[in-house]
Amino acid sequence: MPLSGPQKTVAQTVGVVVLMGGLAWASVPFYDWFCRVTGFGGTTGVAETAPEDILDRTVTVRFDASKAKDMAWEFKPVEREMEVRIGETGLAFYEAYNPTDRPIAGQASYNVAPYSAGGYFQKIACFCFEEQVLEPGERVQMPVTFFVDPEMVDDLEAKYVHTITLSYTFYEIDLPEGYAALETQADTNTN
């Protein structure tokens, strides 16, 4: 039975709402994927190993650290900058300290500037790939292993980049489920 005028309009409206909701839901993972593949928006790449080709040209990598307004940790780079040859593996450390009397879980987001270098800044290993939990009073140094892809020198926009800034921002997140259960059990045992 064909739909009448008002029923057809309602069906079309519901269809548009469902389609728009689906597009909105898919936009965040799609944008994240697009940024990781292209380096758009300062998103870095992830690599298994560094390239064999190491160029004589160097680039200065600056390290920046910030934290969300409600994050109680202290967070800073151990070194503010280093000079690396393009293609060479670099190793930098960031330091985090939990000055509170409670465990805190955190997750880091990252960005690279200028944006044109984002796709060429490759991380091999990074503390930002996992959530971090610091006990009260705990201080840790967290490594990031990286390289600048030699293909950057062939990119019309990126080949003139001489300084790259790697920025991390730490956000407080919920403690892992098993960890929270241990904390509750410990609180019960002390009372």
Side-chain angles (χ1 to χ4, degrees), residues 34-104:
F34 176 78
C35 289
R36 289 181 190 278
V37 169
T38 65
F40 181 79
T43 302
T44 67
V46 177
E48 296 288 323
T49 59
E52 293 180 18
D53 190 21
I54 298 175
L55 307 181
D56 287 333
R57 182 176 153 198
T58 62
V59 64
T60 300
V61 180
R62 292 185 179 154
F63 304 100
D64 181 49
S66 63
K67 51 192 181 139
K69 182 180 173 185
D70 60 343
M71 177 52 120
W73 289 0
E74 294 174 12
F75 177 58
K76 66 182 181 180
V78 173
E79 284 185 76
R80 289 282 174 201
E81 66 179 41
M82 70 173 58
E83 190 170 325
V84 295
R85 293 185 339 198
I86 294 178
E88 174 183 34
T89 300
L91 175 62
F93 289 89
Y94 281 76
E95 184 176 275
Y97 171 63
N98 179 0
T100 71
D101 61 355
R102 65 183 175 88
I104 298 176

Side-chain angles (χ1 to χ4, degrees), residues 92-184:
F93 289 89
Y94 281 76
E95 184 176 275
Y97 171 63
N98 179 0
T100 71
D101 61 355
R102 65 183 175 88
I104 298 176
Q107 181 75 48
S109 65
Y110 52 86
N111 194 351
V112 171
Y115 293 146
S116 60
Y120 300 104
F121 193 92
Q122 302 288 315
K123 290 192 235 178
I124 297 171
C126 182
F127 61 89
C128 60
F129 297 156
E130 301 174 359
E131 64 187 27
Q132 306 292 323
V133 178
L134 295 185
E135 294 293 331
E138 184 177 9
R139 182 181 308 270
V140 295
Q141 287 196 353
M142 301 175 291
V144 57
T145 307
F146 65 92
F147 66 91
V148 178
D149 193 320
E151 290 182 12
M152 183 176 91
V153 300
D154 297 325
D155 185 300
L156 292 176
E157 290 183 35
K159 70 181 178 180
Y160 299 109
V161 171
H162 299 288
T163 303
I164 297 173
T165 302
L166 175 62
S167 299
Y168 288 99
T169 301
F170 251 107
Y171 299 89
E172 185 171 350
I173 59 174
D174 291 336
L175 286 168
E177 190 173 309
Y179 196 93
L182 289 174
E183 288 297 307
T184 304

Side-chain angles (χ1 to χ4, degrees), residues 8-24:
K8 187 175 182 181
T9 302
V10 169
Q12 288 174 335
T13 303
V14 168
V16 167
V17 168
V18 169
L19 176 66
M20 296 304 278
L23 290 174

